[in-house]
Each structure stands twice: as structure tokens, then as C-alpha cells.
Amino acid sequence: MASARPENTDNRRGLDRRVTIPGDFALTGGQALPALEIAYETYGDLNADASNAILICHALTMDQYVAGHNPRTGKPGWWPRLVGPGKPIDPDRHFIICSNVLGGCNGTTGPGNVNPLTNQHYAMTFPVITIRDMVNAQAALLDHLGIETLAAVVGGSMGGMQALDWAVAHPHRVRSVVAIATAARHSAQNIAFHEVGRQAIMADPNWSGGAYPLDKQPVAGLAVARMAAHITYLSEEGLTEKFGRRLQDRDTPGSPQPGFGFDAEFQVESYLRHQGLSFTQRFDANSYLYITRAMDYFDLGAPHDGVLAKAFAGTKTRFALVSFTSDWLYPTAESRRIVRALNAAGAAVSFVELESPFGHDAFLLDAPEMIRVVDGFLRAGT
Amino acid sequence: MASARPENTDNRRGLDRRVTIPGDFALTGGQALPALEIAYETYGDLNADASNAILICHALTMDQYVAGHNPRTGKPGWWPRLVGPGKPIDPDRHFIICSNVLGGCNGTTGPGNVNPLTNQHYAMTFPVITIRDMVNAQAALLDHLGIETLAAVVGGSMGGMQALDWAVAHPHRVRSVVAIATAARHSAQNIAFHEVGRQAIMADPNWSGGAYPLDKQPVAGLAVARMAAHITYLSEEGLTEKFGRRLQDRDTPGSPQPGFGFDAEFQVESYLRHQGLSFTQRFDANSYLYITRAMDYFDLGAPHDGVLAKAFAGTKTRFALVSFTSDWLYPTAESRRIVRALNAAGAAVSFVELESPFGHDAFLLDAPEMIRVVDGFLRAGT
């Protein structure tokens, strides 16, 4: 399938590629998309027996630019410590694929796309999607690329959900799964936080039932949604260490005096406001609704009467799970639950809980132990 | 001071009383209110030597109707297990006082009141207030009632902050303090969640810079603020136990199918939406801004270079602190910090962490151990 390989003059940089998958794309909910465009990046070259492909799945607000240079932001990719030359996932050894998820807003079909049947933006006529639908879209991309089997699927957070689901939906196409800071189902508290975000978006009059012009989205609501979510990505300990009760622009020696007002008085407020506002410049509100909804529906054990082990029955895939001590969004207990289910299913599984004060976001930050664990696991399997 | 006693034909019921404190009321931030009205309830009778008065301080969204019947909601008061005939705080033994906090929206002067100097609603011209200002307003009420010394100040959550601050601001007027599920300062995470709520309110166009007509408040934004806050009042464990991933209106035997939509699909969503919406019927958005701000500014150790023990130096007040295992809003660590400071200050202090799956809200729910602890502490001190 050499024809599908990237014509890449610099195989470490990514190509900003798109592909249109022909035919209807069937969804879990019973509907189908009349067209599926996938935006993706590849790094490195597929080897002769197409055995060195690694799929990286991104989290809720990330994109396909996992490594190299992100042409939209002008910044480096989002997982530079794990992916890149000399890193555990290495374009000199692996053919690395990362695609924008179904429902996303970075090139893959989502609510911001035009429905070819109506020539209108989908907006809220876009069908509700699931993590499984995201995985199936990635499988269609692999078909297009001529890759039958993945050496590994790797992801953190929602990316970890996709990685786990790959082993359930397409067990014969995945040799190894690395699932970091993730869960096999969304908890009531996870759903609750997402619902706050969705309600914040929908409460913004600019949302207009989802039919906003793409250049005039519900910025205020989306910013509030991001602020609420962002708190869940950090730990109480991390917030205290980073900001404590320090006052904005008054962190000088002596006795800083509060301003007694509603401006961003504390540094943590200023930080959150910035996080909220900058997010609205790179993300679409309707995509946020659809992707959070997909995560809420995620429950790998549900089709098996809640017995997660049955979802993995007969698996030949190897698994590595990593959790972080201060992650309260997808806490270690959820990873342990997955490990128990995998053990019950007779799967090969390694698991480590790593010390970190940085909460859920730890998987994106400097985590040398995580890098070593993933490196060792991938090398042992290839 | 018999003249100040309530003329109460049924001293267990409360009286829906108001008092206007004469003169300017000076605030921590340097401004003053030209008028201070306090709405309060009393239960029981003040004894001859005025030694049986107990002040109860309410939490962020509560009111003065701690016991008996709330004429506004038609429901019982908010702390019936602790306050009432035969309870640890008993109108047959105590003269019980509970006033709506300064900045509130249940009768005490707040941003919804008319500024007598301008004949306009204060709205956002209301000065920013602090927990100390709330305490000083209560002290003015006690002066009016002819009560020099309180047998006890009792409160949970923000009520606990006021109770602690009473011992710092007016040490000679408080014999005992009971502070439940509280903290001596707001953490970065606490501030962050409040800021999300404030931004949600301010993002609502109906907020109109705070100048909304009182019958047309920013319902959508206030509801989102309440939803976000409400998650912090419950534990992950409690949410899972109460709702899990159960679907709304589909919790029937067999295999409930998700609806694949954005309606309140999960029970936890329906519950949160109800909590948000019903809150807007009983609370004012601007009051929410001012009271959350007061909590964020709360840091008892701040005027003493962060050494909390110095705030309590020389105190003769007895203290009882109670925390709950699953309270992640004001976790046990914060109570322990207060206890250590009180020990260092040589204060008499008892502390217990109680097992509960109900998170922060545990202090309002059925907590028999808490009732016993408070009863024992109050009886030993009187």
C-alpha cells in the first residue's frame, strides 16, 4: 500500500493532511454521515510490512498536531515529551498517526462542517456521536492508509478512552494499548461537570440554538465552560502551589492590599479568565457540546451488564495503564478497575500510579516516569 | 434588657423580625453604608442574666430561618436536626438568634436594597464586603438586643467562617465557637470555583452590569453558577451512589437505551438543572456575587503574616471543630490547620472528623454524630 504513504520531504514535520472517506459513515446511534472528512498528521515512514504504525488519540480539546509544529497556533505539538525524534514514540522508528476526532473542529467532520445533503452547516443537526464512532473513523483512516494492524494505540484522558475502545471494537487490529489518566466510563461527577459546561454554552444568547455564524460563536458561555473544566484538570494542591491566594499585580513585598472589587483580583482568577478566553479562539462551541456528550456516553462495560471484563474477553492485546496520584477527574481507582477487569479477562497488563501534584494535566506535563514506562512497554512489544 | 426581648406568643416559631441599625455602618474596605437593616429570627427567651444567647450563622445561600417554619418557602428551617425543641440548640433553654447576612437577599441590606442616599437600588454600587463586615453587622444586632456575650456562635461552611471570625473580631463577646465543615481561608480552588460562578452570572446579558430589574434577573447565568457550586457540595462517592450513570425516565428493567441527544439524559443532569433553576427563584444574582467575593477574601491569618495562631492569641473562647471525610470543598486538612493554630494559641479546642459519604453538604443532612458532638460541647460549656 505504498501509494497511501505520505510523500513527505521531512518525515518528522507532519503534513496537514486530509482525506475524504467515501460512502456513508454509520454511527452508533443509528444515523449515518453522508460524508466523512478526516484531518490527520503522520510522522515517520510506514515500514515494509506495515508493522510499525502507532495511532495517537487526542483528548477533548486537543488536535492532530501531536508533534512537530502546529501550523494553526505556531506552537509545538501537544505531546513533545512522548512523541518526536529520540522519544518513546519516534518518527525514526515508527509511523505515527494522529487524527482530529470525529465531531472536532480542526478539519475532521464535525458540527461546524457543511452537510453536503443540505449545503448548510450541520450545527445541532449533527448526529450525537460516541467514542466508538471516533474509533471507527480512525479505523476508516487506517483502511485508507493501508494499515491493518497497529503496533500500538496511545492516548491520555479522552484519548485513553479511545485507546481502550480500540481493543474492544477492533481487537485484532491492535497489538498494544497505552491508556493514561483515563477511565472506562464517565462517572456521575464527570457528567455533572460536563453538563455545567454545556449549560453555560447554551445559556449564551449567541449560541442561538447552535446556529451561530462560525465567526460569531458564544464566546462568553464557552469561556465559562472551559473555566469550569479547567479546574478539574488541576489539583487543589497544584492550584495552591501555583497561585495560592496571591493577588494579581500586587504580589510585591510588604503587605499587599486587596482591591475590594470584582476584577480579576486573585492570580488564579486572572489565569482562569485567560484560559477561558484563549480557548474560544481555538475551539468551536458546538464541537464542545458533541465531544463532551460522547465522553458522557462512554461506558465500556454497559453492553455487558456492567461487567467490564466481558468487554475485553479473549483479548490478545497488551495493555499499559498509567494514573496520577492527584488526578481527581479520572482517579487511580478507575484505572485499578480497568486493570482488574483486564486481569479477569486474562490480558497482559501493566499498571503504575505515578506521584504528581499536577492533577489530571500531569499526562501532558513533564512526567519522566511516564515517559520511561511508555518507552519500556512499547519496546518490549515490538 | 427585657425591653429588647421578643414579644413572642410562641417562642419556638420565630418572628420574621427586622431592625434598622442607626447611623453609618463602617466596612472593612473603607466605605460605609448609610443604613443597615437586619432581618433576623429569634427562638426562645433571653434569660435574666442574658447568658443563654446562641448566634447561628448561615452559609452562602441560606437565610435567617434556621428553625421552625420558613414563611418564604413554606418549608421547615434549614437546620432542624440541630436547632429546635429537644435538640442541642433548644428554644426551651437557649435564646437563639439567626440573621440574614450582610449582602444577602432575605431582608438584610444587600445589593438589592435601595440606597437611601440615591433612592436607587445599590446593585453594583454596593461596596464589596467581607466576612468581618457580616460579623460586625451581627454584633450591631446583638447590641440592639442588649446581649453583650454569646454563650456560643455556631455555623457550618460560610457560617463556620463567621463563627471563627467572631472569636477574632470580638473575643470577649464569645464563650464558645462551633465551626463545622469550614476553613480559615479560601483556597485557590475555592476561589476558582467561585470565579466560574461569577463569570457565568456576568456573562448573562440579563445581568446588565448588575442593573437588572429585581423581577428579571440573570436566571440562566445564576443557574449555571449554582450548578457548578452544587457539584462542590457533594462528593464523587455521593453522586455515584445517588445517580451513578442512570438515565432519566429510562431506569426500567431491561436495557435502557440512551436517547443520543442534549436533553437531560442522565439523572445527574436533570438533578443539577433543577438545582440551578430552583435556586434562581430564591436568590439574587448580585447577592451571589458579593457573598462569594466576601468568602474569597476570607483569610484569618493574613493580617498576621499568615500565622493563623496569632489571630487567636490570648483567646479565652472554647472551640469545637467538625469536618467530614468526603468534604473536598473545605477538607479536613483545613480544620486540622485551624486546630493546630488554636493549640498553638493555647485555646481549648476539640476536633472530630466524621465519616460521611455526603461531601460538604453532610453538615446539613442527617449526621447523628455531629449532633452528639455539638450537644456535648455546648452542655459542657454552659
Side-chain angles (χ1 to χ4, degrees):
Chain A
M1 298 275 175
S3 65
R5 287 190 205 167
E7 295 172 19
N8 194 342
T9 51
D10 179 353
N11 70 8
R12 295 175 174 188
R13 288 198 59 182
L15 285 162
D16 210 12
R17 304 179 80 193
R18 308 237 176 162
V19 60
T20 302
I21 306 292
D24 279 6
F25 181 74
L27 298 168
T28 317
Q31 292 185 264
L33 289 170
L36 172 59
E37 190 170 12
I38 299 179
Y40 65 103
E41 291 293 291
T42 66
Y43 312 84
D45 294 309
L46 191 63
N47 61 10
D49 59 351
S51 65
N52 70 332
I54 293 183
L55 175 70
I56 298 176
C57 303
H58 70 72
L60 169 53
T61 71
M62 296 294 157
D63 51 40
Q64 62 270 38
Y65 305 106
V66 62
H69 173 82
N70 184 329
R72 302 195 177 199
T73 62
K75 292 179 183 172
W78 51 267
W79 222 353
R81 292 174 181 88
L82 195 67
V83 183
K87 304 294 178 183
I89 301 173
D90 186 340
D92 292 335
R93 293 185 287 127
H94 301 118
F95 181 58
I96 304 159
I97 308 150
C98 185
S99 61
N100 187 215
V101 292
L102 183 68
C105 50
N106 273 294
T108 294
T109 301
N113 283 58
V114 170
N115 180 345
L117 301 181
T118 64
N119 281 320
Q120 306 279 317
H121 289 284
Y122 280 104
M124 297 305 284
T125 71
F126 196 74
V128 167
I129 53 167
T130 63
I131 298 290
R132 176 64 53 89
D133 295 326
M134 295 177 186
V135 164
N136 287 343
Q138 291 157 349
L141 172 63
L142 293 195
D143 293 343
H144 165 76
L145 294 174
I147 297 166
E148 175 56 31
T149 308
L150 291 163
V153 186
V154 180
S157 195
M158 187 183 82
M161 296 176 190
Q162 295 163 63
L164 292 169
D165 199 38
W166 258 96
V168 173
H170 306 285
H172 303 297
R173 300 186 74 169
V174 196
R175 293 206 298 277
S176 306
V177 160
V178 178
I180 303 172
T182 193
R185 65 176 172 203
H186 241 211
S187 73
Q189 192 185 63
N190 295 151
I191 296 170
F193 274 114
H194 273 177
E195 177 65 2
V196 168
R198 286 189 295 260
Q199 290 297 315
I201 290 168
M202 291 173 163
D204 188 329
N206 285 337
W207 179 63
S208 305
Y212 52 86
L214 288 186
D215 60 350
K216 199 192 166 198
Q217 67 161 343
V219 165
L222 183 58
V224 169
R226 175 63 170 182
M227 288 173 68
H230 200 81
I231 300 174
T232 71
Y233 303 153
L234 308 174
S235 69
E236 196 274 338
E237 180 186 358
L239 277 168
T240 297
E241 192 176 300
K242 194 166 182 175
F243 305 109
R245 293 181 46 80
R246 283 189 295 282
L247 297 171
Q248 183 72 6
D249 300 329
R250 292 192 192 82
D251 190 26
T252 45
S255 177
Q257 288 300 315
F260 290 107
F262 290 96
D263 291 337
E265 175 86 344
F266 296 96
Q267 287 182 6
V268 67
E269 293 176 305
S270 171
Y271 170 80
L272 271 186
R273 288 188 191 184
H274 173 75
Q275 290 293 329
L277 211 57
S278 62
F279 181 63
T280 66
Q281 288 158 15
R282 66 177 178 88
F283 215 82
D284 173 63
N286 283 344
S287 270
Y288 196 82
L289 299 179
Y290 278 90
I291 298 177
T292 56
R293 204 50 165 159
M295 294 173 77
D296 290 350
Y297 279 128
F298 188 60
D299 184 358
L300 270 182
H304 307 278
D305 302 320
V307 183
L308 184 58
K310 289 186 185 171
F312 296 111
T315 186
K316 303 280 182 252
T317 305
R318 309 160 62 235
F319 293 83
L321 278 94
V322 178
S323 72
F324 295 94
T325 48
S326 59
D327 182 353
W328 58 281
L329 187 66
Y330 304 126
T332 292
E334 272 300 309
S335 284
R336 286 196 201 285
R337 181 175 166 262
I338 300 167
V339 170
R340 279 196 302 273
L342 288 168
N343 284 333
V349 52
S350 70
F351 166 59
V352 61
E353 181 192 36
L354 299 178
E355 285 282 343
S356 170
F358 299 118
H360 181 62
D361 264 359
F363 83 96
L364 292 170
L365 304 175
D366 190 23
E369 283 186 279
M370 179 187 85
I371 301 301
R372 276 195 294 274
V373 164
V374 175
D375 192 43
F377 177 78
L378 290 178
R379 287 182 186 276
T382 51
Chain B
M1 301 276 176
S3 64
R5 286 190 207 172
E7 295 170 18
N8 193 343
T9 53
D10 179 353
N11 71 9
R12 295 176 173 188
R13 288 200 56 184
L15 285 163
D16 209 11
R17 305 178 81 192
R18 308 236 176 164
V19 61
T20 301
I21 305 293
D24 279 3
F25 180 74
L27 298 168
T28 316
Q31 292 187 261
L33 289 170
L36 172 61
E37 189 169 14
I38 298 179
Y40 66 103
E41 291 293 291
T42 66
Y43 313 85
D45 294 311
L46 192 62
N47 62 10
D49 58 352
S51 65
N52 70 334
I54 293 184
L55 175 70
I56 298 177
C57 303
H58 69 73
L60 169 54
T61 71
M62 296 292 157
D63 51 39
Q64 62 270 38
Y65 305 105
V66 62
H69 174 82
N70 183 328
R72 304 196 176 198
T73 63
K75 293 179 182 170
W78 53 266
W79 223 353
R81 292 173 181 89
L82 195 68
V83 184
K87 306 294 180 184
I89 301 172
D90 186 340
D92 292 337
R93 294 186 285 127
H94 301 119
F95 181 60
I96 305 160
I97 308 149
C98 185
S99 61
N100 186 214
V101 292
L102 183 68
C105 50
N106 273 294
T108 293
T109 299
N113 283 56
V114 170
N115 180 346
L117 300 182
T118 64
N119 280 320
Q120 306 281 317
H121 290 283
Y122 281 104
M124 298 304 287
T125 70
F126 197 74
V128 166
I129 53 167
T130 63
I131 298 291
R132 176 64 52 90
D133 295 326
M134 295 177 185
V135 164
N136 287 342
Q138 291 157 349
L141 172 62
L142 293 195
D143 292 343
H144 165 77
L145 293 173
I147 298 167
E148 175 56 31
T149 307
L150 291 163
V153 186
V154 181
S157 195
M158 187 183 84
M161 296 176 191
Q162 295 162 64
L164 292 169
D165 199 39
W166 258 97
V168 173
H170 306 284
H172 302 296
R173 299 186 74 169
V174 196
R175 292 206 298 276
S176 306
V177 161
V178 179
I180 303 172
T182 194
R185 65 174 170 203
H186 241 211
S187 72
Q189 193 186 64
N190 295 150
I191 296 170
F193 274 113
H194 274 177
E195 175 66 2
V196 168
R198 287 190 294 260
Q199 289 297 315
I201 290 169
M202 292 174 162
D204 187 330
N206 284 337
W207 180 62
S208 305
Y212 52 86
L214 288 186
D215 60 350
K216 199 193 167 198
Q217 66 161 345
V219 166
L222 184 57
V224 169
R226 175 63 168 179
M227 288 173 67
H230 200 81
I231 301 175
T232 70
Y233 303 152
L234 309 174
S235 68
E236 197 276 339
E237 179 186 0
L239 277 169
T240 297
E241 192 177 300
K242 194 165 183 178
F243 304 108
R245 294 183 44 83
R246 283 189 296 281
L247 297 170
Q248 183 73 5
D249 299 330
R250 291 191 192 83
D251 191 25
T252 45
S255 176
Q257 290 299 316
F260 290 107
F262 289 97
D263 290 338
E265 175 86 345
F266 295 95
Q267 288 182 8
V268 67
E269 292 176 305
S270 173
Y271 170 80
L272 272 186
R273 289 188 192 183
H274 172 75
Q275 290 292 329
L277 212 56
S278 63
F279 180 63
T280 66
Q281 289 158 17
R282 67 177 176 85
F283 215 84
D284 173 61
N286 283 344
S287 270
Y288 196 82
L289 298 180
Y290 278 91
I291 298 176
T292 56
R293 205 48 167 163
M295 295 172 78
D296 290 349
Y297 279 126
F298 187 61
D299 184 357
L300 270 183
H304 306 278
D305 301 320
V307 183
L308 184 57
K310 289 186 186 171
F312 296 111
T315 186
K316 302 279 182 251
T317 305
R318 309 161 61 235
F319 293 84
L321 277 95
V322 178
S323 72
F324 295 94
T325 49
S326 59
D327 182 354
W328 59 279
L329 187 66
Y330 304 125
T332 291
E334 272 301 308
S335 284
R336 285 196 201 285
R337 179 174 167 265
I338 300 166
V339 170
R340 278 196 303 271
L342 288 168
N343 284 334
V349 52
S350 71
F351 166 59
V352 62
E353 180 191 37
L354 299 178
E355 284 281 341
S356 170
F358 299 118
H360 181 63
D361 264 359
F363 83 96
L364 292 168
L365 304 174
D366 189 24
E369 282 186 278
M370 178 187 85
I371 302 301
R372 275 195 296 275
V373 165
V374 176
D375 191 44
F377 177 78
L378 290 179
R379 286 183 187 276
T382 50

